[in-house]
Amino acid sequence: MMERSDLQFERDYSSPVISRWWILVLAFVFIYGFSVLITVTVKAYSDKPPVPEVVKDMAGNVMFTGDDIRQGQSVFLRYGLHDNGSIWGHGAYLGPDFSSDYLHQVAVATREMNPRLSMSELNAKAKTNRYDASTGVLVMDEAQASVFADAPAYWRKYFSTPVNNGGLPYNLIDDDAELHKLCAFFAWSAWACVANRPGEDYSYTNNFPYEPTIDQGPADALTVWSVASLLFLLIGIGACLLFVGRDKEADWKASVPPYPMMSADGNQPASVRGLLKFVVVVGLLLLGQTLVGGGPWPITVLIPDRSTDLIFLPCSRASW
């Protein structure tokens, strides 16, 4: 075992272990940080987009119901579509963001049906919130109704072959009832992306995703607070460095001298050699995980009623 007399040190460690200012700052950061996290979590549930009881078109015809939306979400989860694409940016990257894809179709239809409107007028029309909280009825305009009518055929084609969808099985979802409910879930998620919150000029998702076809971009408040958070971070780091730089006694102190990276005879301690092996192994594991999750593996398999074909078995990154 290495003796303490063999070690070389260059500074005095006789001062206290930790400055009390570090303890106070750390306590403040923990309390403030967790308070913000808890507040945001509570607001995420209290301010979530409403699920209407019934959705109608402009003529009053029922398009789908709230139960269809909830059951459509169950279809989405049952077939593991979050391992293929995403909703509101949450999910995997092999397929599309389904809410964004659906919203883009609505945006294109809105422009095609209203060729005389300016961009600002298109934006106002698309972002109009027609949900009545007192009755639980959501009214969708002509563009939204048109896209919903064509949605089952569109998504049936998407799920028909792995070439279209990044590796899902052939005809993954082919049942008319399931497609109707799934499209209801997509339609509702896209509506939440574009419809303004009551009394606000941004949607339930803070104008996510970006959709230039109807001039939807990040809300002003989102931009301001994003920049402000970065500035606060840089200012906080600068203040800590300035404080420590001006007062050396405020720096971290050790109660006993730590082992150096090199001993007096020039050899590395066993703990350092073990650490180097650990870093190499972890690096290789991380590289392997990245390569496995980076894309599908092409393999040859036998499929009933088909000749041997090349398909893709996706490896999800949804859990990262």
Side-chain angles (χ1 to χ4, degrees), residues 162-273:
V163 176
N164 297 334
N165 54 43
L168 295 174
Y170 281 96
N171 299 319
L172 177 65
I173 304 178
D174 196 38
D175 181 77
D176 291 340
E178 288 186 329
L179 282 171
H180 172 79
K181 295 171 183 177
L182 185 65
C183 291
F185 176 58
F186 290 164
W188 171 80
S189 69
W191 166 80
C193 290
V194 70
N196 283 339
R197 285 182 177 274
E200 305 291 351
D201 61 353
Y202 52 83
S203 72
Y204 292 97
T205 59
N206 274 328
N207 287 355
F208 174 87
Y210 172 68
E211 182 48 72
T213 309
I214 52 175
D215 196 30
Q216 171 162 289
D220 293 339
L222 179 64
T223 303
V224 170
W225 283 107
S226 296
V227 174
S229 64
L230 179 60
L231 291 177
F232 290 154
L233 174 63
L234 296 177
I235 291 172
I237 293 175
C240 289
L241 293 176
L242 177 63
F243 178 72
V244 172
R246 290 171 60 91
D247 183 7
K248 296 297 185 181
E249 293 302 316
D251 199 357
W252 291 99
K253 300 295 188 301
S255 58
V256 295
Y259 282 100
M261 297 295 289
M262 301 291 292
S263 61
D265 59 6
N267 296 321
Q268 291 180 332
S271 59
V272 174
R273 295 194 298 271

Side-chain angles (χ1 to χ4, degrees), residues 58-81:
M58 299 294 283
N61 301 312
V62 175
M63 297 169 56
F64 53 90
T65 66
D67 287 337
D68 289 332
I69 297 172
R70 285 181 281 269
Q71 292 173 18
Q73 183 184 28
S74 297
V75 172
F76 182 86
L77 296 176
R78 182 165 64 252
Y79 286 100
L81 297 183

Side-chain angles (χ1 to χ4, degrees), residues 89-108:
H90 300 282
Y93 306 130
L94 298 175
D97 182 276
F98 297 103
S99 52
S100 178
D101 188 302
Y102 195 101
L103 175 60
H104 180 68
Q105 296 178 55
V106 172
V108 171

